[in-house]
Amino acid sequence: MSAFERVIYPFEWIVSWILYGWHQIFAAIGLDAASGGAWVLSIVGLVVVMRAAMIPLFVRQIHASRRMQLIQPEMQKIQAKYKGKTDPDSRQAMTQETMDLYKRTGTNPFSSCMPILLQSPFFFGLFRVLNNLGAIAAGTHNPIGPITKDVAAQAEQSTFLGAQLSDKFIGAETMTTKVVTILLIVLMSISTFTTQRQLMTKNMPASALDNPFAKQQKVLLYLMPLFFAISGVNFPIGVLIYWTTTNIWSMCQQFYVIRRMPAPGSPAEKALQERRAKRGKPVKDFTVPGLEDSASNGSTAGDGSSAPSGPGGTAKPSGQRQQPKRGKKRK
């Protein structure tokens, strides 16, 4: 067993037990245990279990993304401060100030990657389980958890729209398998395109659409279908069903989040505020603790701007000690 197989085996074991558990439930309520419908619904159940378990992490991801949107002006100030400076001291100072900003505002730039990273091992685990069904059924591969020889043979023979769950486009013996594969790839592409498009058109402020990262996202928006077409032909149909289901989950989940927790300054936030105003509900702006200090400190940085005024026209304290002013010398 290779190092990769040793690392991925626990996820294969977890995936196999979740699949088997759902399959037993569907068989108990009257579905034919040998039917493709029972096994397809089991794959859908696997997606539900995994994505539901990651909801708390997804909520943290949303809050992190909103914080990243709000701290962008401060990030741009830091970048402008060290623009053109390539010496090691300047680069280190820029990194230190950026990390201080992340720490002060409780922002983690890697939070948005966590759901994808955590889901990847389970994706590969499902791929290996489905890919090895034939070998397990033939007795040339050890059982994986509850997926014994008999269970694997039953799953191997089950079909979805006439194609076996372990079949791939590459090496397919029937036209039915190729048609089903293409259908699933198209559904995957449409769901991914819709998810990314609603993110860029509804949940990003206008200022965020003008940077190089946003332009790269636009390019990826149209390259993703090509990626699915190239990679999807190598995956078993069962994996494509899983991938399509999780894409649809992501699309619906993001629609809910954009409507209820939009990014600051985005068209979705404006629409939310209008809905709340019509219902007579208070409109609350999303704020980041620690960001106010940066704004107040920056207002006294010698750029000619004054500190924000408090009640009665008095200046708010900026959190810094005021330096005594010297009187003019007499001539």
Side-chain angles (χ1 to χ4, degrees), residues 10-315:
F11 298 98
E12 295 179 36
W13 189 85
I14 294 173
V15 165
S16 64
W17 270 108
I18 295 175
L19 280 175
Y20 182 76
W22 278 109
H23 183 261
Q24 292 297 101
I25 291 174
F26 292 125
I29 63 177
L31 288 180
D32 183 5
S35 67
W39 285 104
V40 169
L41 289 176
S42 299
I43 294 174
V44 174
L46 172 65
V47 174
V48 171
V49 170
M50 289 180 54
R51 297 304 298 265
M54 288 192 295
I55 285 177
L57 186 63
F58 181 76
V59 172
R60 291 183 61 185
Q61 174 192 2
I62 294 302
H63 285 294
S65 298
R66 299 174 82 186
R67 286 190 178 95
M68 286 296 295
Q69 290 284 355
L70 286 179
I71 69 172
Q72 283 307 305
E74 293 300 317
M75 290 285 294
Q76 292 172 0
K77 289 180 183 179
I78 295 174
Q79 293 170 357
K81 180 180 177 181
Y82 294 97
K83 184 178 181 180
K85 299 180 181 179
T86 57
D87 58 286
D89 291 339
S90 297
R91 304 304 297 178
Q92 183 178 357
M94 179 178 174
T95 302
Q96 185 62 44
E97 289 189 28
T98 303
M99 297 306 296
D100 288 343
L101 178 62
Y102 287 151
K103 184 178 180 180
R104 187 171 64 252
T105 58
T107 305
N108 184 355
F110 301 106
S111 295
S112 58
C113 304
M114 289 306 294
I116 298 176
L117 294 177
L118 289 180
Q119 191 175 216
S120 297
F122 294 97
F123 174 83
F124 286 111
L126 177 64
F127 173 81
R128 289 181 59 81
V129 169
L130 294 176
N131 208 37
N132 289 319
L133 284 178
I136 296 174
T140 59
H141 192 284
N142 293 330
I144 304 174
I147 308 298
T148 60
K149 183 177 180 179
D150 293 338
V151 175
Q154 184 186 78
E156 172 75 8
Q157 295 170 5
S158 64
T159 60
F160 172 69
L161 300 179
Q164 292 185 344
L165 297 181
S166 58
D167 284 347
K168 306 176 186 177
F169 185 92
I170 300 296
E173 298 179 355
T174 64
M175 181 59 65
T176 301
T177 299
K178 295 182 178 180
V179 171
V180 172
T181 302
I182 293 174
L183 174 63
L184 290 172
I185 290 175
V186 169
L187 289 175
M188 287 163 50
S189 302
I190 292 175
S191 57
T192 301
F193 180 87
T194 303
T195 301
Q196 293 298 321
R197 191 173 186 279
Q198 73 176 352
L199 175 65
M200 297 184 67
T201 58
K202 297 182 179 181
N203 205 42
M204 292 182 69
S207 58
L209 294 174
D210 295 330
N211 58 49
F213 177 75
K215 294 178 181 179
Q216 292 176 3
Q217 290 294 101
K218 289 181 181 179
V219 174
L220 290 176
L221 182 65
Y222 296 97
L223 287 181
M224 287 303 290
L226 180 61
F227 168 76
F228 286 138
I230 295 174
S231 60
V233 295
N234 297 296
F235 291 131
I237 287 177
V239 172
L240 296 180
I241 293 172
Y242 167 87
W243 203 343
T244 303
T245 305
T246 195
N247 278 1
I248 294 174
W249 176 291
S250 298
M251 182 177 63
C252 297
Q253 184 174 252
Q254 189 182 78
F255 176 81
Y256 175 83
V257 168
I258 289 176
R259 182 174 176 82
R260 300 296 297 272
M261 296 165 46
S266 65
E269 185 189 44
K270 182 180 179 181
L272 176 62
Q273 291 176 348
E274 291 176 352
R275 290 196 303 270
R276 287 180 174 174
K278 288 180 180 179
R279 297 173 185 173
K281 295 183 178 180
V283 178
K284 297 180 180 179
D285 293 330
F286 182 77
T287 58
V288 177
L291 193 60
E292 294 83 357
D293 295 339
S294 299
S296 60
N297 290 343
S299 65
T300 59
D303 56 358
S305 60
S306 59
S309 297
T314 58

Side-chain angles (χ1 to χ4, degrees), residues 327-331:
K328 293 183 178 180
K329 293 183 180 181
R330 294 180 179 178
K331 294 182 179 180

